[in-house]
Amino acid sequence: MAQFYSPKRRVTTRQSLQILTVTVSDLDPFGQGVARHNGKAVFVAGVLPGEQAEIQLTEDKRQFAKGKLKRLLTRSPQRVEPRCPHFGVCGGCQQQHADEALQQQSKAAALVRMIARETGVTPPQEPVIAGPQYGYRRRARLGLAWQPKLQRLAMGFRQAASSELVPVSHCPVLRPELEQLLAPLRDCLSGLQAVRRLGHAELVLADNGPVLVLRHLDALKEEDRQALLAFAQQKSVTIYLAPDSDRLEKLCGETPYYQVDGLRLDFSPRDFIQVNDAVNQQMVAQALEWLEVQPNDRVLDLFCGMGNFTLPLARRAAAAVGIEGVATLVANGQYNAHKNMLNNASFFHENLEEDVARQPWAAQGFDKVMLDPARAGAAGVMSHIVKLAPGRVVYVSCNPTTLARDSKVLLDAGYRLARVRMLDMFPHTGHLESMALFINDTAPEVAA
């Protein structure tokens, strides 16, 4: 999501050596403590609300400053011991030192503040949609780098604000089925003849087992293929080989799939799927409830991916139409609709940042609209949604800034912001996901 401060710049030697004692009063969505000094906000990673700390000023701008923790003087009762041995070095998590309640409270408060500031509407408080705080990630991309001096393969995640790898053998936010593969996978890859020419490894947990995608820069010799097959058999892993960014070769195993709303969705391991399955299940259920889909409804699903919402909607509506800009996701959506015998679901491959009025789906009428755009939001389609005049709109967002911006279009058109809920899709990180319900009270209700 968007930062609340400007990009870094160098500060003077005097500023960089300045030591301050501050008391943190708030936690921003990225896990940074927020203190005040000389009337200015000071952001300090690693310090929680209520804690006093000695910090070194590292940036001093007109509207804000940043500091580095030197010494913690008091401890908050909401401070907890991070489970990950790499916390503070690995760039993946920023908030493992804060308990679950504080993380969710700070993100939910930031969401409400931003929407209220941008729209003038203060949404009512809603419970956070959450799942397990650890063991939730079903996808991970691991960097691979041969270290000539040490004569070994490093496998891990990037450091914060760096391209350097942090070698990992444990990652408690990964699903256990993936975490337990980390050490054996590194051992397997270390033994390959192609060990010096590997790019990265992706792990995905499908409902029918773990999947490995191995990016290799040179063609693999038969001995390496056999070694990977042995690893796959021993660990019950499906393996895909990726000789480049466009091609995938299945070495062994079954087509991966996941289930949502009682439906089975097959996918390619490079397809986008929600990382947090527990939250995704609740999110889809909440969207279905908010939309109040009736048997005669025609429902539009914008930025639909491979049909995570479209297909559950099709089970309840007269017709569900999904629009997506990635051709492979559209093809998978069509395949899964056919496989689940949902003949009332259709998909269009269209760029929603272009003139949507010229696109074939735009001539159709719809009673309800669902949208789940990327971080840039949905500026290109908001005016057309208003023209459709649906009775209800559910907007799932991964960026509260663009959610607030797009909300104003609906509010100016007479819609009411009825509900907003935060989705704790990525615990311990600065990602803030949410969903909002807009109701057009003047739209005619469709009879059940």
Side-chain angles (χ1 to χ4, degrees):
M1 58 177 285
Q3 295 282 355
F4 296 130
Y5 41 81
S6 304
K8 294 181 179 179
R9 66 170 174 83
R10 284 190 175 275
V11 294
T12 65
T13 302
R14 181 185 65 80
Q15 289 171 323
S16 62
L17 293 176
Q18 187 175 358
I19 304 296
L20 304 175
T21 298
V22 298
T23 299
V24 165
S25 59
D26 200 1
L27 194 69
D28 81 355
F30 314 103
Q32 298 180 117
V34 184
R36 308 293 299 186
H37 178 69
N38 292 337
K40 185 186 302 183
V42 183
F43 297 90
V44 189
V47 189
L48 300 179
E51 293 183 335
Q52 190 178 58
E54 192 175 85
I55 69 168
Q56 180 177 5
L57 207 62
T58 58
E59 290 187 59
D60 193 3
K61 298 192 176 184
R62 185 175 62 180
Q63 295 182 327
F64 73 93
K66 294 190 72 176
K68 180 181 179 181
L69 175 63
K70 299 290 289 182
R71 186 161 62 102
L72 200 61
L73 303 177
T74 61
R75 291 176 64 89
S76 165
Q78 292 184 289
R79 177 174 288 276
V80 295
E81 192 65 27
R83 290 194 195 178
C84 181
H86 309 292
F87 179 70
V89 181
C90 172
C93 295
Q94 300 83 42
Q95 300 187 28
Q96 286 192 22
H97 63 301
D99 69 16
E100 177 181 356
L102 178 57
Q103 290 187 40
Q104 294 180 358
Q105 172 192 344
S106 64
K107 289 184 182 182
L111 173 66
V112 169
R113 280 198 306 268
M114 186 169 294
I115 290 178
R117 185 177 69 234
E118 296 297 322
T119 68
V121 177
T122 301
Q125 291 287 337
E126 296 269 5
V128 172
I129 294 177
Q133 292 293 290
Y134 286 93
Y136 70 85
R137 284 194 69 101
R138 60 178 172 182
R139 182 188 290 276
R141 177 168 170 153
L142 297 147
L144 301 172
W146 175 253
Q147 299 174 316
K149 292 183 179 179
L150 299 174
Q151 288 292 293
R152 71 182 184 190
L153 178 71
M155 184 183 83
F157 302 116
R158 304 293 173 187
Q159 293 184 21
S162 170
S163 60
E164 294 295 316
L165 276 184
V166 180
V168 298
S169 55
H170 300 284
C171 179
V173 298
L174 284 185
R175 288 283 298 267
E177 299 94 326
L178 298 184
E179 186 187 24
Q180 66 188 16
L181 288 176
L182 293 177
L185 175 59
R186 191 191 66 82
D187 291 344
C188 172
L189 299 180
S190 296
L192 300 182
Q193 295 182 37
V195 64
R196 291 169 174 80
R197 298 287 293 163
L198 301 177
H200 61 264
E202 293 182 64
L203 290 174
V204 184
L205 184 63
D207 283 6
N208 54 332
V211 180
L212 166 67
V213 179
L214 180 62
R215 175 77 170 92
H216 54 95
L217 306 180
D218 296 332
L220 294 181
K221 295 182 178 180
E222 184 59 26
E223 294 90 335
D224 284 353
R225 288 174 169 264
Q226 291 301 319
L228 289 168
L229 285 169
F231 173 79
Q233 185 174 15
Q234 182 184 15
K235 299 297 181 181
S236 300
V237 176
T238 293
I239 296 183
Y240 288 78
L241 301 177
D244 56 48
S245 58
D246 297 320
R247 288 183 294 160
L248 276 182
E249 173 198 347
K250 186 194 285 186
L251 182 66
C252 60
E254 303 176 349
T255 298
Y257 69 85
Y258 75 93
Q259 293 179 300
V260 63
D261 192 45
L263 301 167
R264 168 175 162 160
L265 277 65
D266 290 8
F267 65 94
S268 164
R270 279 185 169 168
D271 285 346
F272 172 81
I273 63 170
Q274 294 289 354
V275 162
N276 190 324
D277 178 58
V279 172
N280 183 56
Q281 301 288 339
Q282 297 177 71
M283 176 179 70
V284 171
Q286 182 67 92
L288 295 171
E289 179 186 325
W290 280 0
L291 284 170
E292 294 186 356
V293 180
Q294 304 298 323
N296 293 331
D297 278 342
R298 289 179 49 80
V299 186
L300 176 64
D301 183 11
L302 299 168
F303 311 94
C304 68
M306 54 182 276
N308 188 56
F309 292 104
T310 320
L311 300 183
L313 288 167
R315 296 184 68 194
R316 295 158 173 80
V321 177
I323 319 297
E324 170 58 44
V326 179
T328 55
L329 294 178
V330 171
N332 278 351
Q334 292 169 333
Y335 171 81
N336 284 312
H338 175 73
K339 193 165 185 177
N340 286 283
M341 295 182 290
L342 294 169
N343 299 324
N344 62 333
S346 56
F347 293 82
F348 290 82
H349 177 215
E350 298 288 349
N351 184 349
L352 291 172
E353 294 179 358
E354 295 179 349
D355 183 3
V356 299
R358 297 177 177 271
Q359 297 174 6
W361 63 269
Q364 303 179 21
F366 298 96
D367 306 291
K368 310 284 172 62
V369 173
M370 174 83 220
L371 66 160
D372 184 6
R375 295 174 59 79
V381 296
M382 296 309 298
S383 61
H384 191 75
I385 292 175
V386 170
K387 289 179 183 178
L388 292 172
R392 288 175 177 247
V393 177
V394 169
Y395 189 135
V396 172
S397 168
C398 59
N399 185 346
T401 302
T402 50
L403 170 62
R405 179 200 68 198
D406 295 342
S407 295
K408 289 192 284 188
V409 179
L410 294 173
L411 294 171
D412 289 345
Y415 280 80
R416 172 169 54 90
L417 178 55
R419 308 278 296 272
V420 176
R421 292 190 72 176
M422 194 201 102
L423 305 166
D424 200 13
M425 187 72 77
F426 300 94
H428 312 299
T429 77
H431 293 284
L432 202 169
E433 309 245 341
S434 60
M435 58 192 305
L437 167 65
F438 299 86
I439 297 178
N440 180 359
D441 291 316
T442 63
E445 291 292 331
V446 177

